[in-house]
């Protein structure tokens, strides 16, 4: 089998979670790999982070602009494509707006345009699990039909990343498409089995251990005394609603009892989902007696970014970038399966959870 390097283009690239996983992936015979060609995102800090870590500081191939203003035909030929189109319309946190009357819901179509124009050999698309129920399921079907009609055979699966060695309960829909002519030749992607990862230690305690003293983005944010006192009543693994005899002055008022409000990690279990935004009580909290929220580096650890991956921007911007990213380790596993598919190498697989 001859060597083959797939040239990867990305829309909505984020800080580089997908790209990091792609660059670490290689087929089991060492013959198939992936290289960055171009990427696009709207947020300047995100683009700077991607440029620094994925492109070694050379931002000439990173297009920081609104995708609606992007000149897609000028980007350059690619063999592979990846995009995590914005999930604002499909997340279970908040209202489902979906495709109708929402400026974010239609952004997936720019990925379809890339597929039609460049006809890469394969693609990977990612979104939140809530996309399945948007518009009573009809919106997701429209998206799948549009991707398939661009000329691709789809394999759609909801990946529970904690089953693949990621120390976090993070569930995401991943769509892998193989170009129809290649699928007809027998190049058929299969969902990689989580079985090889069943004995991985994915506890938060292990994930957050031994962070180097000089690791970037590791500053501890100062909390108000009242918040620290409130946290002192919360045990590891608990949230504020599970505390008995909480003094009235420390109680909070909210219309919905979200489980992640003032919730501490349990060091013996995987972390709960790292989120990109949220108000008071949603910052994720350490189990130690320090009574503090996680640092951004600790959030990045849970997302499986390497310690030398430096995020650019102020604290809230970095938190957002980390929370919106695809875990590099999870992406790497899926990309390796794609590369093995093209190399003709069998690997442990399971039936897709969605069809």
């Amino acid at each position: 089998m001859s060597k083959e390097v797939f040239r990867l283009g990305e829309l909505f690239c984020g800080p580089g979670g997908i790209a990091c996983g792609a660059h670490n992936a290689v087929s089991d015979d060492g013959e198939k790999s992936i290289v960055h060609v171009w990427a696009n995102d709207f947020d300047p800090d995100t683009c700077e982070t991607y440029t620094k870590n994925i492109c070694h500081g050379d931002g000439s191939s990173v297009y920081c602009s609104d995708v609606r203003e992007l000149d897609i035909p000028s980007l350059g030929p690619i063999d592979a494509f990846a995009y995590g189109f914005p999930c604002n319309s499909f997340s279970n946190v908040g209202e489902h707006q979906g495709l109708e009357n929402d400026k974010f819901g239609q952004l997936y179509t720019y990925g379809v345009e890339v597929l039609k124009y460049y006809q890469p050999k394969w693609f990977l698309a990612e979104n939140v699990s809530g996309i399945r129920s948007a518009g009573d399921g009809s919106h997701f079907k429209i998206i799948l039909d549009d991707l398939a009609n661009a000329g691709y055979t789809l394999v759609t699966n909801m990946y529970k990343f904690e089953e693949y060695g990621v120390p976090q309960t993070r569930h995401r829909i991943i769509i892998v498409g193989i170009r129809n002519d290649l699928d007809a030749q027998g190049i058929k992607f299969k969902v990689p089995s989580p079985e090889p990862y069943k004995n991985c230690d994915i506890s938060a305690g292990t994930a957050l251990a031994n962070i180097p003293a000089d690791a970037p983005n590791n500053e501890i944010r100062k909390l108000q005394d009242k918040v620290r006192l409130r946290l002192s009543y919360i045990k590891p693994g608990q949230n504020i609603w599970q505390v008995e005899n909480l003094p009235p002055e420390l109680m909070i008022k909210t219309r919905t009892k979200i489980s992640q409000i003032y919730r501490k990690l349990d060091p013996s279990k995987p972390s709960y989902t790292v989120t990109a935004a949220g108000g008071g009580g949603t910052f994720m909290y350490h189990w130690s007696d320090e009574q503090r929220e996680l640092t951004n580096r600790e959030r990045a650890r849970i997302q499986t970014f390497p310690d030398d991956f430096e995020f650019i921007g102020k604290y809230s911007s970095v938190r957002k970038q980390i929370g919106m990213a695809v875990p590099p380790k999870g992406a790497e596993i899926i990309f390796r399966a794609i590369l093995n598919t093209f190399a003709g190498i069998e690997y442990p697989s399971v039936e897709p959870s969605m069809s």
Side-chain angles (χ1 to χ4, degrees), residues 74-121:
S74 72
L75 295 173
I78 53 174
D79 310 299
F81 175 59
Y83 79 133
F85 51 95
C87 62
N88 308 55
S89 307
F90 308 113
S91 175
N92 284 320
V93 181
E95 297 181 359
H96 278 183
Q97 297 184 71
L99 300 180
E100 298 172 358
N101 301 316
D102 179 66
K103 65 179 181 179
F104 292 112
Q106 298 286 350
L107 293 183
Y108 82 92
T109 60
Y110 291 89
V112 175
E113 183 179 342
V114 168
L115 294 176
K116 289 180 177 179
Y117 188 85
Y118 289 108
Q119 284 287 288
K121 294 180 179 180

Side-chain angles (χ1 to χ4, degrees), residues 211 215-218 295-301 306-307 309 311:
I211 295 178
N217 310 115
N218 200 32
T295 68
N296 277 325
R297 176 50 46 192
E298 289 170 328
R299 295 185 184 100
R301 270 281 189 99
D307 286 338
F309 196 104
F311 295 84

Side-chain angles (χ1 to χ4, degrees), residues 108-213:
Y108 82 92
T109 60
Y110 291 89
V112 175
E113 183 179 342
V114 168
L115 294 176
K116 289 180 177 179
Y117 188 85
Y118 289 108
Q119 284 287 288
K121 294 180 179 180
W122 56 267
F123 77 85
L124 179 150
E126 176 266 349
N127 212 288
V128 294
S129 58
I131 192 176
R132 295 174 299 171
S133 55
D136 295 325
S138 62
H139 293 167
F140 188 43
K141 184 180 185 304
I142 291 171
I143 291 171
L144 292 177
D145 286 347
D146 285 349
L147 291 169
N149 290 335
Y152 291 84
T153 300
L154 309 182
V155 176
T156 305
N157 189 64
M158 186 177 75
Y159 288 81
K160 298 180 179 181
F161 282 122
E162 68 272 19
E163 296 180 354
Y164 290 86
V166 175
Q168 174 189 187
T169 53
R170 192 177 191 89
H171 301 169
R172 291 294 184 269
I173 300 292
I174 303 287
I175 306 162
V176 172
I178 304 294
R179 205 172 64 202
N180 285 339
D181 61 310
L182 299 173
D183 177 83
Q185 295 172 24
I187 300 176
K188 297 182 180 294
F189 174 78
K190 298 178 182 178
V191 175
S193 171
E195 187 68 17
Y197 310 96
K198 68 177 183 179
N199 294 322
C200 289
D201 183 352
I202 58 171
S203 66
T206 297
L208 301 188
N210 304 316
I211 295 178

